[in-house]
Amino acid sequence: MMFEEGQNMAKEFGAENVYDFSLGNPNVPAPERVRDTAVELLKNEDPLLLHGYMSNAGYPDVRKKVADSLNKRFNTAFNENNIMMTVGAAAGLNCALKALIDPGDEVLTFAPYFVEYKNYVANFDGVLNTVSTDHETFQPDLNALSEAVNKNTKALIINSPNNPTGVIYSEETIKGIAEVLEKKQKEYGTEIFIIADEPYRELVYTDAEVPYVTKYYDNTLVCYSFSKTLSLPGERIGYLVVPDEAADHEDLFTAVSIANRVMGCVNAPSLFQKVVAECLEEKADVAYYGRNRDKIYNALQSYGFKCVKPEGAFYLFIETPVDDKEFVQEAKKEHILVVPGTSFALGGFVRLAYCVSYETIENSLPGFKRLAEHYGLS
Amino acid sequence: MMFEEGQNMAKEFGAENVYDFSLGNPNVPAPERVRDTAVELLKNEDPLLLHGYMSNAGYPDVRKKVADSLNKRFNTAFNENNIMMTVGAAAGLNCALKALIDPGDEVLTFAPYFVEYKNYVANFDGVLNTVSTDHETFQPDLNALSEAVNKNTKALIINSPNNPTGVIYSEETIKGIAEVLEKKQKEYGTEIFIIADEPYRELVYTDAEVPYVTKYYDNTLVCYSFSKTLSLPGERIGYLVVPDEAADHEDLFTAVSIANRVMGCVNAPSLFQKVVAECLEEKADVAYYGRNRDKIYNALQSYGFKCVKPEGAFYLFIETPVDDKEFVQEAKKEHILVVPGTSFALGGFVRLAYCVSYETIENSLPGFKRLAEHYGLS
């Protein structure tokens, strides 16, 4: 909906006069190596292998390369049998949930959260419940987590760097989450999975480390996407990690592979499996987003807006002086498009995606200044 | 499973000594225009547009080109708002079913059928029931269809050219099906959809026409894939047609778009959307399959095997002189891999996929001859 709205406003007022901060659509191009690799594969590989079916989990050599890259970067010990290539992280999440949950099972996530989680869980007749965060830092409330887990809890979805807040969960936070879940697993005699949704893993602007969750908690599945790191959101390419340490990991790997098949993905797109395997050390221009972050964050701060300074992803989650939907409407008068926090299950905030051109940010600032003045912030 | 089995046997005995007829994996390469178009797009298009997000339904210009091509070839009157690009036909079927059925609803299909239909319907807590066909011709039994439809029937999945039998439903058959369903819609005051699964539409070896089903029945959704026509099964690219004539077609189009998003596909792979839009008049070398068909069909006939001569797709559905699973095991001794009919809900037959090299067919024939002799067919 927001996608169409931005396009329509751009048509009406001219693209340069609309400041569309509503979409998490990367605006720095894919690394050149992506194009070069794709062209080379198209020219030199046997088209039957390049475009043909393979195992539902993906090409074994691609999965091996992904495993090796993770091992090198995070000191893990994966092999190709721990990696399933997926149609982006969204499909990976769906496969994970289909494999894990039965009707009526409960899944937890920290609010605010990417609203699609609710739909994904509902696909399998599960129930998504939210756990609160500290609204100053947006770090998880571990006491609230402990209270929210019950015998029907099958999984906790975490997302760090976080959409919509941009915060990163520290090692201490991950250890704390793991401790709570370990205890609850023992208490109820159940398996409780962490599903780590990590499309923003590589988009970090500080020295903050993003802990690799499988190292802290055995029952962890990681959903990764190359959408942001390589600026390939339209190509739908990512992977799912099922570690050996997870309960019944072989059956679980079979289950996610079957889910990939029967939900209709069948396999991740074949050419881009091969492309990303050659671009595992590549990143789109993350510094561009960092420069955007500094510009918009500093400006909004100076106008009197309040928000956590994001360490990763490409979002600001801004406290609104009025109801967030009302603020969204007021911002539209300035041709500024942002998403209400209620869309992330937390009113009183709006999400601003700064994956836009630096010029868009510069040109939007007078509008933000007028908004601040309108609400008496400055 | 069959995929891995064939690969393992090839490792053990040498690929040239294994006759793997178990997979519907095209063996003629994609047309050169596919490669040339992909390379050109990669070199000349803005990577942000080429690999970026677009509406969940796909690029409007691509959908327009698909609509225009259908209109030209089938004298239909579609526009871009009737076309949603999908992650292959499998994802299209899942989106269609998610949009149409509620828990407990019934879906019909003619047996034998592509076994995944059952899984797709089960994804939405629907029930798939089968309707018999004439086992001499594998044409649908319209009386049986009429008896099978009840007030809970939401859809009938048809697949012509058919997997696993290779038969094509004539215009008369389609008219007959439409007549039954029209009558039942009136009788029950319900909407009953035909979901036409058409990945084999372009793979036809005779003068037979494959009627375009939307022209015969208003409540029709068409699921198409480029997997077979352009030999791109690994790329996961196809489309779903929602005609204006379908009941509540605007809501239905919205529903399939949302299904595309929330089931995790989000959109069809972006580069290959653009590629297929430039290759709508292209076909892989269908004559190659035709030559295979003649060779294997004539040989098996001469050995005493019985099967319908297929008009389309790339399968033979062969009557087995013994239980089909027993026959499959016996065939394995000859290093011949075929799929038991029970996998298509019809025992007493096996499916042979002749999308293999001509040499594989030639080299497999002595083995088939020995099988025929073993069972006293010749």
Side-chain angles (χ1 to χ4, degrees), chain B residues 48-78:
Chain B
L48 288 176
L49 293 176
L50 191 60
H51 306 303
Y53 283 126
M54 79 300 301
S55 300
N56 297 119
Y59 292 112
D61 62 319
V62 169
R63 291 152 54 199
K64 175 75 164 58
K65 283 177 184 168
V66 169
D68 289 347
S69 166
L70 291 172
N71 295 344
K72 190 175 138 194
R73 289 181 291 148
F74 306 115
N75 199 24
T76 49
F78 301 127

Side-chain angles (χ1 to χ4, degrees), chain A residues 113-127:
Chain A
Y113 70 94
F114 178 50
V115 71
E116 293 286 48
Y117 294 161
K118 191 165 189 164
N119 296 321
Y120 300 163
V121 172
N123 283 337
F124 311 105
D125 303 315
V127 178

Side-chain angles (χ1 to χ4, degrees), chain A residues 4 35 42 48 51-52 55 94 98 116 120 123 125 233-236 261-263 265-267 270-271, chain B residues 4 27 35 42 51-52 55 94 98 116 120 123 125 233-236 261-263 265-267 270-271:
Chain A
E4 280 83 3
R35 185 195 59 202
L42 285 159
L48 288 176
H51 306 304
S55 300
N94 270 284
K98 187 170 175 75
E116 293 286 48
Y120 300 163
N123 283 337
D125 303 315
E235 301 297 353
R236 314 308 306 138
R261 201 190 80 214
V262 301
M263 292 181 66
C265 288
V266 182
N267 56 253
S270 51
L271 171 63
Chain B
E4 279 83 3
N27 77 308
R35 185 195 58 201
L42 285 160
H51 306 303
S55 300
N94 269 285
K98 187 169 174 77
E116 294 285 48
Y120 300 163
N123 283 338
D125 303 316
E235 301 298 353
R236 315 307 306 140
R261 202 189 78 214
V262 302
M263 292 181 65
C265 288
V266 182
N267 56 253
S270 51
L271 170 63

